[in-house]
C-alpha cells in the first residue's frame, strides 16, 4: 500500500475517532498508525509530544463558562438533581449519554449593532440552534412593535432606533413571555450556572461540566420572573454563557416533564433530531415556544389515523399571538401544499 494511501486512511480514522470520543467511546490506534509514529524523524517526534500535551487538556476546557457569567451558589436557587439532569437528556436526546456539541454550547442571544438598520435582530448562524433563536426573534419583534411602542400599531422605523438597553429589555421581556406561556400562566423555572457541581459522573450519566452546576429558580409571579431575568440577562446574551441551552432547559422545566410527555405523540419521542452530524430542534420545540404546547405537528387539533388505529397525532390546539410561515422542501417538490 502506498504511503499516501496509508496517510489518507489514518486521516479518515482520526475523524471517526473524534466523533466516537465525543460520545465517550475509545478507539485504539491501528498498527499502521503505530508504525508511522515509530518511523517518524526527530522533528516530528517533538511535534507529536506537543500534540500529546494539548490533547491531555480536558475536552470541556474549550467550553468553560467565563467567571463573570457564573452566579454565586447562595443566590437562593434549587441545585439540580441528577434525576432532573437525566430526564432533560431523555426528553432532548432520547438517552442520558448524548451531550451538546460545540455549536450548541457557543450559541447565545446576540443582537446586531444598536442604532443600526438591524438593531432589532439577533445573529443566528446556520445549525441546530437557529430555530430556537428565530422563535425568540419573533417574540422580540412583537414586543418592540406592539408592546414597547406608544403608538397603537407601532412603527417599523422604531425597530432601527433601539439602543443596547432597549435590546436587553426586549430580550428579557421576550424570554419571560415564552417561559410564562409554557408554564400556562402560573409558574416558570429559570436555570443559571453556579460555581458548584452538584453530582458526579456515573455509569448511567455522562457529565458535560455545566449541567451539573445548574441552580433552578422557581417563580409564581410573572413580574418577579422578568425582574430576575433582567438582572441576569447577561447570562443569556454574552459570549461563552451557553445562553441558548440555558433557555432551552428553562423552557422544558417550565413546561414540566409530565406535560411534555403528554404533548408529544407516537411520532416524536424526543425533542432534538440528529442529522448530518448535528442536533436540530424538532417542530415540537418551535410549537412549544409559539403556542406553549410541544405538539409535534402544525395542523389544527389532534388527529386520529383511522378507525383501526386509534393513536393520535397532536397538532396545534389554540391560535397563538406569534405565528410562522411553514414550508417543507420535500412537500414542495411533490407539488403538495402542507397542512397548517
Amino acid at each position: 500500500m502506498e504511503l499516501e494511501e496509508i496517510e489518507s486512511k489514518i486521516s479518515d480514522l482520526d475523524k471517526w475517532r473524534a466523533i466516537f470520543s465525543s460520545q465517550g467511546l475509545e478507539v485504539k490506534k491501528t498498527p499502521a498508525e503505530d508504525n508511522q509514529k515509530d518511523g517518524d524523524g526527530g522533528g516530528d517526534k517533538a511535534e507529536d509530544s506537543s500534540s500529546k500535551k494539548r490533547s491531555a487538556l480536558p475536552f470541556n476546557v474549550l467550553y468553560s463558562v467565563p467567571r463573570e457569567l457564573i452566579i454565586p451558589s447562595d443566590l437562593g436557587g434549587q441545585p439540580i438533581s441528577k434525576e432532573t439532569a437525566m430526564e432533560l437528556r431523555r426528553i432532548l436526546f432520547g438517552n442520558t449519554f448524548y451531550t451538546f456539541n460545540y455549536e450548541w454550547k457557543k450559541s447565545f442571544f446576540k443582537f446586531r449593532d444598536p442604532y443600526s438598520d438591524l438593531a432589532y435582530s439577533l445573529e443566528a448562524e446556520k445549525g441546530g440552534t437557529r430555530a430556537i433563536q428565530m422563535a425568540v426573534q419573533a417574540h422580540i419583534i412583537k414586543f418592540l412593535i406592539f408592546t414597547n411602542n406608544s403608538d397603537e400599531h407601532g412603527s417599523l422605523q422604531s425597530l432601527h432606533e433601539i439602543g443596547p438597553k432597549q435590546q436587553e429589555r426586549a430580550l428579557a421581556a421576550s424570554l419571560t413571555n415564552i417561559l410564562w406561556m409554557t408554564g400556562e400562566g402560573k409558574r416558570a423555572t429559570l436555570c443559571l450556572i453556579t460555581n458548584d457541581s452538584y453530582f458526579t459522573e456515573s455509569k448511567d450519566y455522562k457529565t458535560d461540566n455545566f449541567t451539573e452546576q445548574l441552580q433552578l429558580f422557581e417563580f409564581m409571579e410573572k413580574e418577579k420572573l422578568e425582574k430576575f431575568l433582567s438582572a441576569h440577562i447577561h447570562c443569556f446574551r454574552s459570549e461563552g454563557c451557553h445562553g441558548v441551552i440555558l433557555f432551552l432547559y428553562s423552557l422544558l422545566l417550565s413546561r414540566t416533564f409530565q406535560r411534555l410527555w403528554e404533548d408529544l405523540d407516537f411520532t416524536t419521542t424526543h425533542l432534538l433530531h440528529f442529522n448530518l452530524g448535528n442536533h436540530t430542534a424538532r417542530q415540537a420545540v418551535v410549537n412549544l415556544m409559539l403556542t406553549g404546547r410541544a405538539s409535534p405537528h402544525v395542523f389544527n387539533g389532534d388527529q386520529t389515523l383511522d378507525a383501526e388505529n386509534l393513536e393520535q397525532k397532536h397538532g396545534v390546539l389554540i391560535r397563538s399571538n406569534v405565528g410562522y410561515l411553514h414550508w417543507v422542501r420535500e412537500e414542495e417538490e411533490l407539488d403538495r401544499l402542507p397542512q397548517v
Side-chain angles (χ1 to χ4, degrees):
M1 186 178 291
E2 296 294 332
L3 180 60
E4 290 81 7
E5 188 177 352
I6 293 175
E7 290 177 343
S8 174
K9 289 183 178 295
I10 289 175
S11 177
D12 291 340
L13 285 171
D14 285 338
K15 292 177 183 177
W16 283 109
R17 183 178 288 110
I19 294 173
F20 291 142
S21 295
S22 69
Q23 302 301 332
L25 301 174
E26 182 182 357
V27 181
K28 294 183 178 180
K29 286 187 176 293
T30 65
E33 290 175 286
D34 288 332
N35 292 337
Q36 186 189 44
K37 176 185 170 185
D38 293 339
D40 283 344
D44 290 336
K45 285 182 179 178
E47 186 179 346
D48 240 9
S49 175
S50 173
S51 299
K52 283 182 180 179
K53 288 179 181 177
R54 287 195 300 270
S55 64
L57 290 172
F59 193 60
N60 282 307
V61 167
L62 297 172
Y63 313 129
S64 58
V65 180
R67 185 173 300 176
E68 62 271 17
L69 303 178
I70 296 176
I71 65 165
S73 55
D74 59 355
L75 199 58
Q78 179 69 29
I80 190 171
S81 66
K82 180 180 283 190
E83 291 71 24
T84 298
M86 291 175 67
E87 195 64 16
L88 282 170
R89 292 268 180 89
R90 291 190 190 98
I91 196 77
L92 286 169
F93 302 107
N95 62 65
T96 61
F97 295 101
Y98 282 179
T99 59
F100 287 105
N101 63 11
Y102 173 69
E103 180 189 279
W104 276 84
K105 290 182 178 181
K106 75 174 183 177
S107 296
F108 60 102
F109 298 103
K110 180 183 179 181
F111 278 94
R112 296 186 181 272
D113 293 338
Y115 305 116
S116 68
D117 288 345
L118 296 173
Y120 62 91
S121 65
L122 297 172
E123 292 186 17
E125 299 179 2
K126 290 183 179 180
T129 62
R130 174 177 269 193
I132 296 173
Q133 291 167 310
M134 289 297 93
V136 171
Q137 176 72 83
H139 283 272
I140 288 173
I141 294 175
K142 172 180 175 290
F143 172 81
L144 290 173
I145 293 180
F146 299 108
T147 306
N148 192 45
N149 203 297
S150 57
D151 297 338
E152 182 180 355
H153 299 292
S155 167
L156 293 179
Q157 180 61 32
S158 66
L159 294 178
H160 312 314
E161 300 169 351
I162 64 173
K165 291 296 182 183
Q166 291 169 298
Q167 288 176 334
E168 287 189 355
R169 186 181 173 218
L171 178 60
S174 299
L175 298 184
T176 297
N177 289 336
I178 296 171
L179 294 178
W180 197 249
M181 174 180 60
T182 61
E184 299 189 341
K186 298 176 182 177
R187 58 174 296 280
T189 300
L190 193 68
C191 299
L192 295 176
I193 302 175
T194 70
N195 269 320
D196 297 332
S197 185
Y198 299 109
F199 55 89
T200 58
E201 190 163 321
S202 65
K203 63 179 182 179
D204 53 1
Y205 180 86
K206 179 183 177 182
T207 58
D208 57 23
N209 284 13
F210 78 94
T211 301
E212 306 80 41
Q213 298 175 226
L214 294 180
Q215 280 196 7
L216 317 181
F217 296 84
E218 293 272 346
F219 296 92
M220 301 300 176
E221 296 179 29
K222 184 179 180 182
E223 293 74 18
K224 291 183 177 180
L225 167 63
E226 185 168 356
K227 183 178 180 180
F228 185 84
L229 207 161
S230 297
H232 297 89
I233 195 62
H234 60 286
C235 295
F236 295 88
R237 60 163 305 191
S238 302
E239 188 171 0
C241 66
H242 297 25
V244 171
I245 300 176
L246 284 180
F247 174 67
L248 180 58
Y249 280 170
S250 302
L251 189 74
L252 304 185
L253 293 172
S254 295
R255 184 61 180 161
T256 74
F257 296 129
Q258 180 181 346
R259 288 200 188 106
L260 284 169
W261 290 121
E262 292 172 354
D263 293 344
L264 300 177
D265 59 28
F266 69 97
T267 66
T268 304
T269 58
H270 50 278
L271 296 173
L272 298 183
H273 172 61
F274 190 73
N275 184 36
L276 299 177
N278 194 16
H279 284 96
T280 57
R282 294 181 185 270
Q283 185 67 52
V285 178
V286 178
N287 284 350
L288 179 61
M289 297 176 65
L290 297 183
T291 71
R293 181 183 187 232
S295 52
H297 305 283
V298 293
F299 47 69
N300 290 341
D302 296 338
Q303 293 184 0
T304 303
L305 293 179
D306 51 54
E308 295 182 359
N309 189 345
L310 298 180
E311 287 186 300
Q312 285 190 327
K313 290 184 176 181
H314 295 168
V316 178
L317 296 182
I318 60 173
R319 186 181 181 89
S320 58
N321 290 326
V322 174
Y324 52 90
L325 297 176
H326 182 76
W327 174 78
V328 179
R329 182 188 302 276
E330 291 77 12
E331 292 183 348
E332 184 186 41
E333 290 173 350
L334 295 172
D335 197 26
R336 184 177 66 211
L337 293 176
Q339 273 192 304
V340 179

